[in-house]
Structures are given as structure tokens and as C-alpha cells.
Amino acid sequence: VQLQASGGGLVQPGGSLRLSCEASGSIFGINTMGWYRQAPGKERELVATINSGGVANYADSVKGRSIISRDSAEKTVDLRINSLKSEDTAVYYCHVNLRPNGWNPQLLDYWGQGTQVTVSS
């Protein structure tokens, strides 16, 4: 299973960004998709997740200015964050919890390579 993330880069304060992630490979079914981030000197933290039923969960820090969405057929998850702040600067990681095959019900976690988001003027 591979996760390919795109988006990010340098964004001005108050601006918006859109991150996309596509899962590929041996995938029988996807449970939860989401985004996490890690700022320098800090632990990785949840930004937003969305389950197979389309129910989203947001960190308090981005709630009200973020939207996460998924396309189950395309195996993609998108995150849009508006009103960006310097505190949003971090490496953003795509995360997927999925079932790789049909004969093993075990769910496994996969991470993307990380994409840098820098909010600065």
C-alpha cells in the first residue's frame, strides 16, 4: 500500500491550503482516512479524520476552518484549511486505516511521506 500526498508549500497567514492524498496498492476496504501534523519539537497530532460513513472529526485547533472529505471510489482524502495561522506550520502526514485483503479482517495503519506546510509572510 502506498500513500501519495500532494499540496502544501508556503502560504501567507490568512490564506488557505488544500492537501490531497491517494491510496493505492492492495486494498480490500478502507476504514478511516485522515491527516496528522508534526511541528518542530512537538509530537505528531491529529488534524482531522473521516470514517467510512463520512463522519468527520477535527482537532480543536482547526475546527470551524477546516473541511475534510473523501472519495471512497478513488481512495482519496482531501483536507482544506482556511484562515491559516503561523501555528499551522508543520509537516502534514496522510494516514489510512485499511484492510489489505479479503481473507484477513485485520486493519492496518499506513502513513504517507509527509508534506511541509509553512505559514509565513
Side-chain angles (χ1 to χ4, degrees):
V1 176
Q2 295 82 39
L3 301 182
Q4 183 63 49
S6 60
L10 176 63
V11 187
Q12 290 189 344
S16 300
L17 70 81
R18 177 174 174 264
L19 301 176
S20 297
C21 179
E22 180 179 9
S24 62
S26 177
I27 300 173
F28 180 79
I30 297 177
N31 180 25
T32 301
M33 307 182 81
W35 290 90
Y36 290 70
R37 67 187 181 187
Q38 187 167 19
K42 295 187 177 182
E43 295 185 352
R44 190 173 298 187
E45 64 177 8
L46 178 147
V47 179
T49 62
I50 183 167
N51 66 16
S52 57
V55 177
N57 177 49
Y58 298 94
D60 289 341
S61 58
V62 301
K63 193 174 295 182
R65 58 188 183 97
S66 299
I67 297 176
I68 188 169
S69 60
R70 66 185 279 176
D71 184 327
S72 296
E74 298 297 326
K75 302 181 181 63
T76 60
V77 57
D78 289 350
L79 175 69
R80 182 176 179 87
I81 306 178
N82 301 315
S83 303
L84 284 162
K85 311 172 185 178
S86 59
E87 305 93 275
D88 295 316
T89 295
V91 177
Y92 284 70
Y93 295 91
C94 174
H95 170 264
V96 177
N97 179 259
L98 59 83
R99 184 176 168 182
N101 54 64
W103 58 87
N104 186 344
Q106 184 179 12
L107 292 170
L108 300 178
D109 293 306
Y110 294 87
W111 294 90
Q113 79 279 14
T115 183
Q116 177 70 46
V117 172
T118 301
V119 183
S120 175
S121 55

